[in-house]
Amino acid sequence: MSLDGFVAGPDPTLEEPLGRNGDSLHEWVLPTRAWREAHGLEGGEDNEESEMVREGIASVGASVMGRKMFSGGSGPWESDPRSHGWWGDEPPFHTPVFVLTHHAREPEEMEGGTTFVFVTEGIESAVEQARAAAGERDVAIAGGANVIQQALSAGLVDELRLHVAPTLLGGGTRLFGEDRPVKLEATRVLSSPRAAHFRLDVTS
Amino acid sequence: MSLDGFVAGPDPTLEEPLGRNGDSLHEWVLPTRAWREAHGLEGGEDNEESEMVREGIASVGASVMGRKMFSGGSGPWESDPRSHGWWGDEPPFHTPVFVLTHHAREPEEMEGGTTFVFVTEGIESAVEQARAAAGERDVAIAGGANVIQQALSAGLVDELRLHVAPTLLGGGTRLFGEDRPVKLEATRVLSSPRAAHFRLDVTS
């Protein structure tokens, strides 16, 4: 999230899916060794942030994401240029990913352990299916903002892991709405020169 | 600031000037020894946050604030129940404070080195007068949000010092608008279990 509360900048396109300057949100994670490993890259920095990323990845047994986050498109899959997702043949999830959509479709098994499962029955069903798939591990509500808001409103979120980058986007997609905020309790706050990281229990 | 970007909660009143749950923004600072000293209180915690607060206070030679932050009121001073400010006879500033108002008034010298000077010619004049008063030290644009936005828009801000508390307010007064964001470069990010603290150069 940016300091002004956006998780994507203004005017997202297929070329710039995070909107104008949206990439600045994720600059902190790119040099971490843990992120690079998950994306099949070598090298990277081994530090407290990388350790946090590694723990985060290891804790997740299944993810839930919205159609926009999956492909950037909408409507029937036949006309979606990114209908197999943004991530090529071997996506970085390595676990089942439940994609919320209005357009039914068979599951798609990718290389490296990622299976995309398409769910048309809404957020509660997606989280339920993800829970069954995750076993002992956690379900991550990966995004976008709308899906996270749906999950928060439905009382389905136990914990928020928020990464705040020192940038202003001036517009775009807000993570938090203005209705009925949940109560949070910080269990860990960590920082580096590139970002601040909050782990928060949702207490109501 | 809250995680959802508010520097005051909804429905501020004279009894609750920071709005609903607004006090949760400042919980992190109350136990620091440096804050307690500035407010004439003993004890407190000596830690990295307290050191940051101490440095912040020591660096300021004069402040600028809005009428609302000063008294919570508006209109002529005669009908303002807080026309001497929120802070009693010995305010915690110990330096000149330039208050933006539409209602001219003689300066008011308080105990402990604080003098309130009332400025009716707008933000540029207030900052210019504060600069002259501050000498070698910095001018702090103390708030509220509207005054900080005016100063940012006028190109008068070199550095932001932002304190993000792990709370959601769900409404209230936003620090950042949605027009023409400034560019920021983090020079320090510090955290404790109670908050994250950003020091940012304004680079455009």
Side-chain angles (χ1 to χ4, degrees):
Chain A
M1 188 170 69
S2 64
L3 283 168
D4 47 356
F6 298 101
V7 290
D11 308 323
T13 61
L14 278 186
E15 292 70 41
E16 235 183 356
L18 290 173
R20 219 159 46 239
N21 291 324
D23 286 344
S24 64
L25 297 173
H26 299 153
E27 273 169 19
W28 68 270
V29 81
L30 307 184
T32 63
R33 181 184 286 265
W35 185 89
R36 295 181 60 83
E37 270 177 26
H39 289 74
L41 301 167
E42 296 194 355
E45 297 171 17
D46 251 331
N47 50 28
E48 210 182 1
E49 270 178 322
S50 185
E51 194 45 46
M52 176 195 70
V53 172
R54 188 180 309 281
E55 279 176 39
I57 292 172
S59 68
V60 171
S63 301
V64 172
M65 70 174 63
R67 161 73 181 272
K68 276 272 185 219
M69 180 169 172
F70 175 68
S71 77
S74 58
W77 292 105
E78 298 79 58
S79 54
D80 186 334
R82 291 281 190 172
S83 65
H84 303 282
W86 295 100
W87 302 277
D89 295 333
E90 189 175 339
F93 305 102
H94 312 295
T95 53
V97 176
F98 294 82
V99 179
L100 284 160
T101 171
H102 296 293
H103 300 272
R105 180 174 154 186
E106 289 300 305
E108 188 166 345
E109 201 168 321
M110 313 295 286
E111 289 170 30
T114 300
T115 301
F116 293 119
V117 183
F118 301 89
V119 179
T120 55
E121 300 86 12
I123 183 74
E124 308 234 6
S125 171
V127 169
E128 195 182 310
Q129 293 181 55
R131 261 195 197 128
E136 297 287 297
R137 287 187 288 167
D138 295 332
V139 171
I141 313 287
N146 181 271
V147 170
I148 296 174
Q149 283 166 12
Q150 285 183 45
L152 280 169
S153 295
L156 295 167
V157 182
D158 304 311
E159 185 185 65
L160 279 181
R161 296 182 188 174
L162 263 187
H163 310 284
V164 180
T167 182
L168 294 177
L169 297 184
T173 307
R174 285 195 187 283
L175 180 56
F176 296 112
E178 295 213 6
D179 55 326
R180 216 168 42 95
V182 293
K183 286 229 170 78
L184 302 176
E185 200 176 299
T187 56
R188 188 167 75 173
V189 189
L190 191 151
S191 60
S192 80
R194 287 192 287 256
H197 310 282
F198 296 84
R199 235 173 121 151
L200 309 134
D201 284 344
V202 178
T203 59
S204 75
Chain B
M1 187 170 71
S2 65
L3 282 169
D4 47 356
F6 299 102
V7 290
D11 306 323
T13 61
L14 278 185
E15 292 71 41
E16 235 183 356
L18 290 173
R20 219 158 46 240
N21 291 323
D23 286 344
S24 65
L25 296 174
H26 298 152
E27 274 169 18
W28 67 269
V29 81
L30 308 183
T32 63
R33 182 184 286 266
W35 184 89
R36 294 180 61 82
E37 271 177 24
H39 288 75
L41 302 167
E42 296 193 355
E45 299 171 16
D46 250 331
N47 51 27
E48 210 181 2
E49 269 177 324
S50 185
E51 194 45 47
M52 176 195 69
V53 172
R54 189 180 308 281
E55 279 176 37
I57 292 172
S59 68
V60 171
S63 300
V64 172
M65 71 173 63
R67 161 75 181 272
K68 276 272 185 219
M69 180 170 172
F70 175 68
S71 77
S74 58
W77 292 105
E78 298 79 58
S79 55
D80 186 334
R82 293 280 190 174
S83 64
H84 304 282
W86 295 100
W87 303 276
D89 295 334
E90 189 175 337
F93 305 102
H94 313 295
T95 52
V97 176
F98 294 82
V99 180
L100 283 160
T101 171
H102 296 292
H103 299 271
R105 180 175 155 184
E106 289 300 304
E108 188 167 345
E109 201 168 321
M110 313 295 286
E111 290 170 30
T114 300
T115 301
F116 293 120
V117 182
F118 300 90
V119 179
T120 55
E121 299 86 12
I123 183 74
E124 308 234 6
S125 171
V127 169
E128 195 181 311
Q129 293 181 55
R131 262 196 197 128
E136 298 286 299
R137 288 188 288 168
D138 294 332
V139 171
I141 313 287
N146 181 270
V147 170
I148 295 174
Q149 283 165 12
Q150 285 183 46
L152 280 169
S153 295
L156 295 168
V157 182
D158 303 311
E159 186 184 66
L160 280 180
R161 296 183 188 173
L162 263 186
H163 311 284
V164 180
T167 183
L168 294 177
L169 296 183
T173 308
R174 285 195 188 283
L175 180 56
F176 296 112
E178 296 213 6
D179 54 328
R180 217 170 41 97
V182 293
K183 285 230 169 78
L184 302 175
E185 200 176 299
T187 56
R188 189 167 74 173
V189 189
L190 191 151
S191 61
S192 82
R194 288 193 287 256
H197 310 281
F198 295 84
R199 236 173 121 151
L200 308 134
D201 283 344
V202 179
T203 59
S204 76

